[in-house]
PDB file of all heavy atoms in Angstrom:
ATOM      1  N   GLU A 112       0.849  -1.210  -0.024  1.00  0.00           N
ATOM      2  CA  GLU A 112       0.004   0.023   0.033  1.00  0.00           C
ATOM      3  C   GLU A 112       0.861   1.252   0.000  1.00  0.00           C
ATOM      4  O   GLU A 112       0.593   2.162  -0.758  1.00  0.00           O
ATOM      5  CB  GLU A 112      -0.949   0.013   1.234  1.00  0.00           C
ATOM      6  CG  GLU A 112      -1.937   1.161   1.248  1.00  0.00           C
ATOM      7  CD  GLU A 112      -2.957   1.115   0.126  1.00  0.00           C
ATOM      8  OE1 GLU A 112      -3.002   0.110  -0.607  1.00  0.00           O
ATOM      9  OE2 GLU A 112      -3.776   2.022  -0.002  1.00  0.00           O
ATOM     10  N   ALA A 113       1.960   1.221   0.810  1.00  0.00           N
ATOM     11  CA  ALA A 113       2.885   2.432   0.839  1.00  0.00           C
ATOM     12  C   ALA A 113       3.493   2.662  -0.574  1.00  0.00           C
ATOM     13  O   ALA A 113       3.536   3.806  -1.017  1.00  0.00           O
ATOM     14  CB  ALA A 113       3.891   2.222   1.835  1.00  0.00           C
ATOM     15  N   LYS A 114       3.830   1.551  -1.266  1.00  0.00           N
ATOM     16  CA  LYS A 114       4.420   1.647  -2.591  1.00  0.00           C
ATOM     17  C   LYS A 114       3.357   2.266  -3.593  1.00  0.00           C
ATOM     18  O   LYS A 114       3.692   3.064  -4.333  1.00  0.00           O
ATOM     19  CB  LYS A 114       4.786   0.302  -3.015  1.00  0.00           C
ATOM     20  CG  LYS A 114       5.510   0.297  -4.424  1.00  0.00           C
ATOM     21  CD  LYS A 114       6.091  -1.095  -4.837  1.00  0.00           C
ATOM     22  CE  LYS A 114       6.675  -1.077  -6.198  1.00  0.00           C
ATOM     23  NZ  LYS A 114       7.099  -2.536  -6.544  1.00  0.00           N
ATOM     24  N   ARG A 115       2.183   1.728  -3.494  1.00  0.00           N
ATOM     25  CA  ARG A 115       1.096   2.159  -4.382  1.00  0.00           C
ATOM     26  C   ARG A 115       0.818   3.734  -4.137  1.00  0.00           C
ATOM     27  O   ARG A 115       0.641   4.470  -5.156  1.00  0.00           O
ATOM     28  CB  ARG A 115      -0.186   1.360  -4.169  1.00  0.00           C
ATOM     29  CG  ARG A 115      -1.210   1.637  -5.208  1.00  0.00           C
ATOM     30  CD  ARG A 115      -2.555   1.067  -4.777  1.00  0.00           C
ATOM     31  NE  ARG A 115      -3.084   1.762  -3.615  1.00  0.00           N
ATOM     32  CZ  ARG A 115      -3.646   2.970  -3.636  1.00  0.00           C
ATOM     33  NH1 ARG A 115      -3.755   3.577  -4.797  1.00  0.00           N
ATOM     34  NH2 ARG A 115      -4.075   3.534  -2.585  1.00  0.00           N
ATOM     35  N   LEU A 116       0.731   4.106  -2.870  1.00  0.00           N
ATOM     36  CA  LEU A 116       0.434   5.528  -2.650  1.00  0.00           C
ATOM     37  C   LEU A 116       1.597   6.395  -2.975  1.00  0.00           C
ATOM     38  O   LEU A 116       1.438   7.521  -3.458  1.00  0.00           O
ATOM     39  CB  LEU A 116       0.132   5.709  -1.105  1.00  0.00           C
ATOM     40  CG  LEU A 116      -1.194   4.954  -0.660  1.00  0.00           C
ATOM     41  CD1 LEU A 116      -1.360   5.254   0.820  1.00  0.00           C
ATOM     42  CD2 LEU A 116      -2.307   5.524  -1.369  1.00  0.00           C
ATOM     43  N   SER A 117       2.852   5.904  -2.929  1.00  0.00           N
ATOM     44  CA  SER A 117       3.992   6.660  -3.285  1.00  0.00           C
ATOM     45  C   SER A 117       3.952   6.894  -4.784  1.00  0.00           C
ATOM     46  O   SER A 117       4.285   8.022  -5.376  1.00  0.00           O
ATOM     47  CB  SER A 117       5.276   5.919  -2.952  1.00  0.00           C
ATOM     48  OG  SER A 117       6.443   6.516  -3.507  1.00  0.00           O
ATOM     49  N   ILE A 118       3.669   5.856  -5.608  1.00  0.00           N
ATOM     50  CA  ILE A 118       3.529   5.992  -7.011  1.00  0.00           C
ATOM     51  C   ILE A 118       2.448   6.979  -7.409  1.00  0.00           C
ATOM     52  O   ILE A 118       2.597   7.815  -8.275  1.00  0.00           O
ATOM     53  CB  ILE A 118       3.165   4.572  -7.599  1.00  0.00           C
ATOM     54  CG1 ILE A 118       4.454   3.719  -7.569  1.00  0.00           C
ATOM     55  CG2 ILE A 118       2.838   4.750  -9.121  1.00  0.00           C
ATOM     56  CD1 ILE A 118       4.148   2.243  -7.952  1.00  0.00           C
ATOM     57  N   MET A 119       1.303   6.882  -6.676  1.00  0.00           N
ATOM     58  CA  MET A 119       0.207   7.853  -6.961  1.00  0.00           C
ATOM     59  C   MET A 119       0.674   9.300  -6.672  1.00  0.00           C
ATOM     60  O   MET A 119       0.376  10.155  -7.513  1.00  0.00           O
ATOM     61  CB  MET A 119      -0.982   7.524  -6.063  1.00  0.00           C
ATOM     62  CG  MET A 119      -2.181   8.398  -6.347  1.00  0.00           C
ATOM     63  SD  MET A 119      -3.604   8.060  -5.339  1.00  0.00           S
ATOM     64  CE  MET A 119      -4.736   9.334  -5.899  1.00  0.00           C
ATOM     65  N   ALA A 120       1.349   9.516  -5.552  1.00  0.00           N
ATOM     66  CA  ALA A 120       1.866  10.835  -5.277  1.00  0.00           C
ATOM     67  C   ALA A 120       2.779  11.421  -6.312  1.00  0.00           C
ATOM     68  O   ALA A 120       2.687  12.538  -6.742  1.00  0.00           O
ATOM     69  CB  ALA A 120       2.501  10.861  -3.866  1.00  0.00           C
ATOM     70  N   THR A 121       3.635  10.546  -6.766  1.00  0.00           N
ATOM     71  CA  THR A 121       4.537  10.905  -7.842  1.00  0.00           C
ATOM     72  C   THR A 121       3.806  11.267  -9.112  1.00  0.00           C
ATOM     73  O   THR A 121       4.130  12.287  -9.883  1.00  0.00           O
ATOM     74  CB  THR A 121       5.536   9.698  -8.221  1.00  0.00           C
ATOM     75  OG1 THR A 121       6.264   9.395  -6.985  1.00  0.00           O
ATOM     76  CG2 THR A 121       6.561  10.096  -9.259  1.00  0.00           C
ATOM     77  N   ASN A 122       2.773  10.472  -9.449  1.00  0.00           N
ATOM     78  CA  ASN A 122       1.958  10.723 -10.676  1.00  0.00           C
ATOM     79  C   ASN A 122       1.189  12.065 -10.559  1.00  0.00           C
ATOM     80  O   ASN A 122       1.129  12.777 -11.573  1.00  0.00           O
ATOM     81  CB  ASN A 122       0.976   9.602 -10.951  1.00  0.00           C
ATOM     82  CG  ASN A 122       1.640   8.387 -11.609  1.00  0.00           C
ATOM     83  OD1 ASN A 122       2.619   8.512 -12.163  1.00  0.00           O
ATOM     84  ND2 ASN A 122       0.925   7.266 -11.566  1.00  0.00           N
ATOM     85  N   VAL A 123       0.678  12.317  -9.370  1.00  0.00           N
ATOM     86  CA  VAL A 123      -0.020  13.677  -9.210  1.00  0.00           C
ATOM     87  C   VAL A 123       0.948  14.750  -9.447  1.00  0.00           C
ATOM     88  O   VAL A 123       0.636  15.719  -9.996  1.00  0.00           O
ATOM     89  CB  VAL A 123      -0.682  13.723  -7.716  1.00  0.00           C
ATOM     90  CG1 VAL A 123      -1.176  15.100  -7.519  1.00  0.00           C
ATOM     91  CG2 VAL A 123      -1.763  12.641  -7.666  1.00  0.00           C
ATOM     92  N   LEU A 124       2.196  14.645  -8.833  1.00  0.00           N
ATOM     93  CA  LEU A 124       3.185  15.708  -9.018  1.00  0.00           C
ATOM     94  C   LEU A 124       3.599  15.895 -10.430  1.00  0.00           C
ATOM     95  O   LEU A 124       3.781  17.036 -10.940  1.00  0.00           O
ATOM     96  CB  LEU A 124       4.368  15.416  -8.150  1.00  0.00           C
ATOM     97  CG  LEU A 124       4.241  15.563  -6.651  1.00  0.00           C
ATOM     98  CD1 LEU A 124       5.487  15.168  -5.894  1.00  0.00           C
ATOM     99  CD2 LEU A 124       3.995  17.095  -6.357  1.00  0.00           C
ATOM    100  N   ASN A 125       3.757  14.705 -11.182  1.00  0.00           N
ATOM    101  CA  ASN A 125       4.129  14.793 -12.613  1.00  0.00           C
ATOM    102  C   ASN A 125       3.007  15.394 -13.377  1.00  0.00           C
ATOM    103  O   ASN A 125       3.282  16.311 -14.214  1.00  0.00           O
ATOM    104  CB  ASN A 125       4.312  13.344 -13.089  1.00  0.00           C
ATOM    105  CG  ASN A 125       5.643  12.685 -12.742  1.00  0.00           C
ATOM    106  OD1 ASN A 125       6.562  13.397 -12.339  1.00  0.00           O
ATOM    107  ND2 ASN A 125       5.692  11.344 -12.820  1.00  0.00           N
ATOM    108  N   LEU A 126       1.791  15.075 -13.095  1.00  0.00           N
ATOM    109  CA  LEU A 126       0.597  15.710 -13.755  1.00  0.00           C
ATOM    110  C   LEU A 126       0.571  17.182 -13.468  1.00  0.00           C
ATOM    111  O   LEU A 126       0.300  18.000 -14.442  1.00  0.00           O
ATOM    112  CB  LEU A 126      -0.690  15.013 -13.419  1.00  0.00           C
ATOM    113  CG  LEU A 126      -1.939  15.531 -14.184  1.00  0.00           C
ATOM    114  CD1 LEU A 126      -1.792  15.396 -15.645  1.00  0.00           C
ATOM    115  CD2 LEU A 126      -3.147  14.764 -13.719  1.00  0.00           C
ATOM    116  N   THR A 127       0.701  17.543 -12.286  1.00  0.00           N
ATOM    117  CA  THR A 127       0.704  19.029 -11.886  1.00  0.00           C
ATOM    118  C   THR A 127       1.792  19.768 -12.615  1.00  0.00           C
ATOM    119  O   THR A 127       1.482  20.808 -13.142  1.00  0.00           O
ATOM    120  CB  THR A 127       0.930  19.146 -10.422  1.00  0.00           C
ATOM    121  OG1 THR A 127      -0.144  18.464  -9.737  1.00  0.00           O
ATOM    122  CG2 THR A 127       0.748  20.644  -9.980  1.00  0.00           C
ATOM    123  N   LYS A 128       2.992  19.164 -12.741  1.00  0.00           N
ATOM    124  CA  LYS A 128       4.072  19.835 -13.366  1.00  0.00           C
ATOM    125  C   LYS A 128       3.820  20.109 -14.883  1.00  0.00           C
ATOM    126  O   LYS A 128       4.017  21.088 -15.389  1.00  0.00           O
ATOM    127  CB  LYS A 128       5.309  18.919 -13.172  1.00  0.00           C
ATOM    128  CG  LYS A 128       6.567  19.522 -13.820  1.00  0.00           C
ATOM    129  CD  LYS A 128       7.761  18.651 -13.682  1.00  0.00           C
ATOM    130  CE  LYS A 128       8.955  19.117 -14.392  1.00  0.00           C
ATOM    131  NZ  LYS A 128      10.242  18.252 -14.166  1.00  0.00           N
ATOM    132  N   ILE A 129       3.306  19.042 -15.596  1.00  0.00           N
ATOM    133  CA  ILE A 129       3.046  19.201 -17.023  1.00  0.00           C
ATOM    134  C   ILE A 129       1.833  20.024 -17.328  1.00  0.00           C
ATOM    135  O   ILE A 129       1.777  20.632 -18.315  1.00  0.00           O
ATOM    136  CB  ILE A 129       3.043  17.760 -17.765  1.00  0.00           C
ATOM    137  CG1 ILE A 129       1.858  16.945 -17.263  1.00  0.00           C
ATOM    138  CG2 ILE A 129       4.331  17.068 -17.609  1.00  0.00           C
ATOM    139  CD1 ILE A 129       1.615  15.652 -17.996  1.00  0.00           C
ATOM    140  N   GLU A 130       0.857  19.975 -16.379  1.00  0.00           N
ATOM    141  CA  GLU A 130      -0.321  20.778 -16.540  1.00  0.00           C
ATOM    142  C   GLU A 130       0.157  22.288 -16.517  1.00  0.00           C
ATOM    143  O   GLU A 130      -0.563  23.136 -17.189  1.00  0.00           O
ATOM    144  CB  GLU A 130      -1.379  20.522 -15.506  1.00  0.00           C
ATOM    145  CG  GLU A 130      -2.229  19.332 -15.773  1.00  0.00           C
ATOM    146  CD  GLU A 130      -3.311  19.150 -14.701  1.00  0.00           C
ATOM    147  OE1 GLU A 130      -3.118  19.495 -13.560  1.00  0.00           O
ATOM    148  OE2 GLU A 130      -4.353  18.558 -15.061  1.00  0.00           O
ATOM    149  N   ASN A 131       1.165  22.560 -15.708  1.00  0.00           N
ATOM    150  CA  ASN A 131       1.595  24.005 -15.636  1.00  0.00           C
ATOM    151  C   ASN A 131       2.483  24.384 -16.754  1.00  0.00           C
ATOM    152  O   ASN A 131       2.797  25.636 -16.822  1.00  0.00           O
ATOM    153  CB  ASN A 131       2.251  24.221 -14.278  1.00  0.00           C
ATOM    154  CG  ASN A 131       1.277  24.202 -13.129  1.00  0.00           C
ATOM    155  OD1 ASN A 131       0.099  24.456 -13.279  1.00  0.00           O
ATOM    156  ND2 ASN A 131       1.781  23.765 -11.970  1.00  0.00           N
ATOM    157  N   GLN A 132       2.877  23.502 -17.578  1.00  0.00           N
ATOM    158  CA  GLN A 132       3.714  23.874 -18.778  1.00  0.00           C
ATOM    159  C   GLN A 132       2.807  24.370 -19.948  1.00  0.00           C
ATOM    160  O   GLN A 132       1.791  23.766 -20.201  1.00  0.00           O
ATOM    161  CB  GLN A 132       4.479  22.545 -19.219  1.00  0.00           C
ATOM    162  CG  GLN A 132       5.885  22.512 -18.602  1.00  0.00           C
ATOM    163  CD  GLN A 132       6.749  21.424 -19.241  1.00  0.00           C
ATOM    164  OE1 GLN A 132       7.031  20.433 -18.614  1.00  0.00           O
ATOM    165  NE2 GLN A 132       7.173  21.713 -20.426  1.00  0.00           N
ATOM    166  N   THR A 133       3.296  25.401 -20.542  1.00  0.00           N
ATOM    167  CA  THR A 133       2.516  25.938 -21.713  1.00  0.00           C
ATOM    168  C   THR A 133       3.316  25.707 -22.989  1.00  0.00           C
ATOM    169  O   THR A 133       2.645  25.731 -24.117  1.00  0.00           O
ATOM    170  CB  THR A 133       2.288  27.428 -21.531  1.00  0.00           C
ATOM    171  OG1 THR A 133       3.492  28.093 -21.267  1.00  0.00           O
ATOM    172  CG2 THR A 133       1.368  27.748 -20.378  1.00  0.00           C
ATOM    173  N   ILE A 134       4.572  25.446 -22.964  1.00  0.00           N
ATOM    174  CA  ILE A 134       5.322  25.211 -24.142  1.00  0.00           C
ATOM    175  C   ILE A 134       6.249  23.977 -23.928  1.00  0.00           C
ATOM    176  O   ILE A 134       6.527  23.572 -22.776  1.00  0.00           O
ATOM    177  CB  ILE A 134       6.255  26.413 -24.539  1.00  0.00           C
ATOM    178  CG1 ILE A 134       7.271  26.752 -23.391  1.00  0.00           C
ATOM    179  CG2 ILE A 134       5.495  27.571 -24.978  1.00  0.00           C
ATOM    180  CD1 ILE A 134       8.390  27.681 -23.835  1.00  0.00           C
ATOM    181  N   LEU A 135       6.582  23.274 -25.008  1.00  0.00           N
ATOM    182  CA  LEU A 135       7.390  22.064 -24.917  1.00  0.00           C
ATOM    183  C   LEU A 135       8.810  22.443 -24.871  1.00  0.00           C
ATOM    184  O   LEU A 135       9.310  23.268 -25.653  1.00  0.00           O
ATOM    185  CB  LEU A 135       7.028  21.190 -26.134  1.00  0.00           C
ATOM    186  CG  LEU A 135       7.648  19.798 -26.160  1.00  0.00           C
ATOM    187  CD1 LEU A 135       6.995  19.020 -25.039  1.00  0.00           C
ATOM    188  CD2 LEU A 135       7.337  19.085 -27.483  1.00  0.00           C
ATOM    189  N   THR A 136       9.515  21.815 -23.873  1.00  0.00           N
ATOM    190  CA  THR A 136      10.993  22.155 -23.692  1.00  0.00           C
ATOM    191  C   THR A 136      11.724  20.879 -23.874  1.00  0.00           C
ATOM    192  O   THR A 136      11.230  19.761 -23.947  1.00  0.00           O
ATOM    193  CB  THR A 136      11.220  22.720 -22.249  1.00  0.00           C
ATOM    194  OG1 THR A 136      10.698  21.761 -21.339  1.00  0.00           O
ATOM    195  CG2 THR A 136      10.484  24.051 -22.149  1.00  0.00           C
ATOM    196  N   ASP A 137      13.094  21.032 -23.978  1.00  0.00           N
ATOM    197  CA  ASP A 137      14.006  19.872 -24.058  1.00  0.00           C
ATOM    198  C   ASP A 137      13.715  18.941 -25.227  1.00  0.00           C
ATOM    199  O   ASP A 137      13.648  17.721 -25.080  1.00  0.00           O
ATOM    200  CB  ASP A 137      14.069  19.035 -22.796  1.00  0.00           C
ATOM    201  CG  ASP A 137      14.482  19.928 -21.554  1.00  0.00           C
ATOM    202  OD1 ASP A 137      15.361  20.795 -21.762  1.00  0.00           O
ATOM    203  OD2 ASP A 137      13.925  19.704 -20.483  1.00  0.00           O
ATOM    204  N   VAL A 138      13.417  19.556 -26.456  1.00  0.00           N
ATOM    205  CA  VAL A 138      13.106  18.716 -27.600  1.00  0.00           C
ATOM    206  C   VAL A 138      14.355  18.242 -28.226  1.00  0.00           C
ATOM    207  O   VAL A 138      15.258  19.018 -28.574  1.00  0.00           O
ATOM    208  CB  VAL A 138      12.281  19.640 -28.605  1.00  0.00           C
ATOM    209  CG1 VAL A 138      12.012  18.841 -29.890  1.00  0.00           C
ATOM    210  CG2 VAL A 138      10.954  20.055 -27.880  1.00  0.00           C
ATOM    211  N   THR A 139      14.404  16.941 -28.492  1.00  0.00           N
ATOM    212  CA  THR A 139      15.489  16.325 -29.186  1.00  0.00           C
ATOM    213  C   THR A 139      14.982  15.318 -30.165  1.00  0.00           C
ATOM    214  O   THR A 139      13.859  14.929 -30.185  1.00  0.00           O
ATOM    215  CB  THR A 139      16.410  15.564 -28.147  1.00  0.00           C
ATOM    216  OG1 THR A 139      15.703  14.573 -27.499  1.00  0.00           O
ATOM    217  CG2 THR A 139      17.052  16.573 -27.167  1.00  0.00           C
ATOM    218  N   GLN A 140      15.839  14.921 -31.083  1.00  0.00           N
ATOM    219  CA  GLN A 140      15.542  13.872 -32.054  1.00  0.00           C
ATOM    220  C   GLN A 140      16.042  12.536 -31.464  1.00  0.00           C
ATOM    221  O   GLN A 140      17.220  12.426 -31.062  1.00  0.00           O
ATOM    222  CB  GLN A 140      16.268  14.099 -33.351  1.00  0.00           C
ATOM    223  CG  GLN A 140      15.768  13.189 -34.547  1.00  0.00           C
ATOM    224  CD  GLN A 140      14.594  13.727 -35.293  1.00  0.00           C
ATOM    225  OE1 GLN A 140      14.166  14.802 -35.088  1.00  0.00           O
ATOM    226  NE2 GLN A 140      14.173  12.893 -36.267  1.00  0.00           N
ATOM    227  N   PHE A 141      15.208  11.510 -31.401  1.00  0.00           N
ATOM    228  CA  PHE A 141      15.582  10.273 -30.778  1.00  0.00           C
ATOM    229  C   PHE A 141      14.875   9.064 -31.438  1.00  0.00           C
ATOM    230  O   PHE A 141      13.840   9.250 -32.174  1.00  0.00           O
ATOM    231  CB  PHE A 141      15.369  10.253 -29.215  1.00  0.00           C
ATOM    232  CG  PHE A 141      13.893  10.361 -28.860  1.00  0.00           C
ATOM    233  CD1 PHE A 141      13.165   9.234 -28.600  1.00  0.00           C
ATOM    234  CD2 PHE A 141      13.340  11.618 -28.711  1.00  0.00           C
ATOM    235  CE1 PHE A 141      11.891   9.302 -28.242  1.00  0.00           C
ATOM    236  CE2 PHE A 141      11.951  11.692 -28.333  1.00  0.00           C
ATOM    237  CZ  PHE A 141      11.208  10.577 -28.069  1.00  0.00           C
ATOM    238  N   ASN A 142      15.301   7.956 -31.136  1.00  0.00           N
ATOM    239  CA  ASN A 142      14.804   6.690 -31.664  1.00  0.00           C
ATOM    240  C   ASN A 142      13.505   6.287 -30.939  1.00  0.00           C
ATOM    241  O   ASN A 142      13.587   5.758 -29.762  1.00  0.00           O
ATOM    242  CB  ASN A 142      15.839   5.569 -31.650  1.00  0.00           C
ATOM    243  CG  ASN A 142      15.457   4.348 -32.293  1.00  0.00           C
ATOM    244  OD1 ASN A 142      14.248   3.958 -32.359  1.00  0.00           O
ATOM    245  ND2 ASN A 142      16.354   3.614 -32.871  1.00  0.00           N
ATOM    246  N   LEU A 143      12.389   6.589 -31.495  1.00  0.00           N
ATOM    247  CA  LEU A 143      11.106   6.220 -30.845  1.00  0.00           C
ATOM    248  C   LEU A 143      10.922   4.734 -30.692  1.00  0.00           C
ATOM    249  O   LEU A 143      10.369   4.293 -29.648  1.00  0.00           O
ATOM    250  CB  LEU A 143       9.977   6.886 -31.711  1.00  0.00           C
ATOM    251  CG  LEU A 143       8.536   6.532 -31.281  1.00  0.00           C
ATOM    252  CD1 LEU A 143       8.287   7.196 -29.906  1.00  0.00           C
ATOM    253  CD2 LEU A 143       7.555   7.077 -32.329  1.00  0.00           C
ATOM    254  N   SER A 144      11.318   3.986 -31.673  1.00  0.00           N
ATOM    255  CA  SER A 144      11.085   2.495 -31.625  1.00  0.00           C
ATOM    256  C   SER A 144      11.880   1.927 -30.450  1.00  0.00           C
ATOM    257  O   SER A 144      11.343   1.062 -29.763  1.00  0.00           O
ATOM    258  CB  SER A 144      11.521   1.931 -32.888  1.00  0.00           C
ATOM    259  OG  SER A 144      10.820   2.467 -34.051  1.00  0.00           O
ATOM    260  N   GLU A 145      13.095   2.386 -30.276  1.00  0.00           N
ATOM    261  CA  GLU A 145      13.919   1.838 -29.181  1.00  0.00           C
ATOM    262  C   GLU A 145      13.272   2.208 -27.883  1.00  0.00           C
ATOM    263  O   GLU A 145      13.303   1.451 -26.898  1.00  0.00           O
ATOM    264  CB  GLU A 145      15.373   2.465 -29.272  1.00  0.00           C
ATOM    265  CG  GLU A 145      16.317   1.850 -28.303  1.00  0.00           C
ATOM    266  CD  GLU A 145      16.557   0.336 -28.429  1.00  0.00           C
ATOM    267  OE1 GLU A 145      16.310  -0.221 -29.487  1.00  0.00           O
ATOM    268  OE2 GLU A 145      17.014  -0.212 -27.326  1.00  0.00           O
ATOM    269  N   GLN A 146      12.813   3.477 -27.756  1.00  0.00           N
ATOM    270  CA  GLN A 146      12.193   3.956 -26.541  1.00  0.00           C
ATOM    271  C   GLN A 146      10.992   3.103 -26.172  1.00  0.00           C
ATOM    272  O   GLN A 146      10.789   2.654 -24.995  1.00  0.00           O
ATOM    273  CB  GLN A 146      11.713   5.375 -26.594  1.00  0.00           C
ATOM    274  CG  GLN A 146      11.147   5.924 -25.335  1.00  0.00           C
ATOM    275  CD  GLN A 146      10.662   7.333 -25.499  1.00  0.00           C
ATOM    276  OE1 GLN A 146       9.733   7.651 -26.299  1.00  0.00           O
ATOM    277  NE2 GLN A 146      11.203   8.220 -24.636  1.00  0.00           N
ATOM    278  N   VAL A 147      10.158   2.727 -27.136  1.00  0.00           N
ATOM    279  CA  VAL A 147       9.006   1.941 -26.835  1.00  0.00           C
ATOM    280  C   VAL A 147       9.310   0.515 -26.500  1.00  0.00           C
ATOM    281  O   VAL A 147       8.773  -0.037 -25.524  1.00  0.00           O
ATOM    282  CB  VAL A 147       8.077   1.910 -28.137  1.00  0.00           C
ATOM    283  CG1 VAL A 147       6.902   0.802 -27.939  1.00  0.00           C
ATOM    284  CG2 VAL A 147       7.461   3.253 -28.452  1.00  0.00           C
ATOM    285  N   ARG A 148      10.335  -0.049 -27.075  1.00  0.00           N
ATOM    286  CA  ARG A 148      10.849  -1.436 -26.679  1.00  0.00           C
ATOM    287  C   ARG A 148      11.307  -1.373 -25.256  1.00  0.00           C
ATOM    288  O   ARG A 148      10.989  -2.316 -24.479  1.00  0.00           O
ATOM    289  CB  ARG A 148      11.899  -1.846 -27.697  1.00  0.00           C
ATOM    290  CG  ARG A 148      11.343  -2.296 -29.046  1.00  0.00           C
ATOM    291  CD  ARG A 148      12.510  -2.990 -29.796  1.00  0.00           C
ATOM    292  NE  ARG A 148      13.509  -2.110 -30.268  1.00  0.00           N
ATOM    293  CZ  ARG A 148      13.543  -1.543 -31.501  1.00  0.00           C
ATOM    294  NH1 ARG A 148      12.570  -1.823 -32.310  1.00  0.00           N
ATOM    295  NH2 ARG A 148      14.536  -0.728 -31.842  1.00  0.00           N
ATOM    296  N   LYS A 149      12.064  -0.287 -24.837  1.00  0.00           N
ATOM    297  CA  LYS A 149      12.600  -0.258 -23.448  1.00  0.00           C
ATOM    298  C   LYS A 149      11.414  -0.114 -22.501  1.00  0.00           C
ATOM    299  O   LYS A 149      11.506  -0.686 -21.362  1.00  0.00           O
ATOM    300  CB  LYS A 149      13.456   0.952 -23.348  1.00  0.00           C
ATOM    301  CG  LYS A 149      14.882   0.773 -24.050  1.00  0.00           C
ATOM    302  CD  LYS A 149      15.774   1.952 -23.842  1.00  0.00           C
ATOM    303  CE  LYS A 149      17.158   1.759 -24.426  1.00  0.00           C
ATOM    304  NZ  LYS A 149      18.005   2.902 -24.358  1.00  0.00           N
ATOM    305  N   CYS A 150      10.337   0.608 -22.864  1.00  0.00           N
ATOM    306  CA  CYS A 150       9.240   0.755 -21.945  1.00  0.00           C
ATOM    307  C   CYS A 150       8.473  -0.590 -21.753  1.00  0.00           C
ATOM    308  O   CYS A 150       8.057  -0.879 -20.645  1.00  0.00           O
ATOM    309  CB  CYS A 150       8.227   1.755 -22.487  1.00  0.00           C
ATOM    310  SG  CYS A 150       8.886   3.434 -22.428  1.00  0.00           S
ATOM    311  N   VAL A 151       8.436  -1.418 -22.763  1.00  0.00           N
ATOM    312  CA  VAL A 151       7.862  -2.808 -22.662  1.00  0.00           C
ATOM    313  C   VAL A 151       8.673  -3.508 -21.655  1.00  0.00           C
ATOM    314  O   VAL A 151       8.127  -4.294 -20.795  1.00  0.00           O
ATOM    315  CB  VAL A 151       7.771  -3.490 -24.016  1.00  0.00           C
ATOM    316  CG1 VAL A 151       7.301  -4.927 -23.840  1.00  0.00           C
ATOM    317  CG2 VAL A 151       6.765  -2.693 -24.903  1.00  0.00           C
TER     318      VAL A 151
END
């Protein structure tokens, strides 16, 4: 339960952070296919 609530708190903070962003920053060109495979 502590782990689950910790993940939730992190997600809420992540969402709050990106909701407050108005422009996209740190844009780079990268291998999308490799990123998706790593996420799997």
Side-chain angles (χ1 to χ4, degrees):
E112 185 67 5
K114 183 179 178 182
R115 189 192 66 77
L116 294 178
S117 173
I118 291 170
M119 181 179 180
T121 301
N122 278 343
V123 171
L124 288 172
N125 283 341
L126 181 58
T127 302
K128 181 180 176 181
I129 62 174
E130 279 184 330
N131 290 332
Q132 271 192 246
T133 54
I134 59 169
L135 191 62
T136 56
D137 300 322
V138 176
T139 59
Q140 187 90 6
F141 64 92
N142 187 327
L143 176 65
S144 302
E145 184 63 21
Q146 183 182 58
V147 170
R148 285 191 289 265
K149 285 180 179 177
C150 289
V151 172

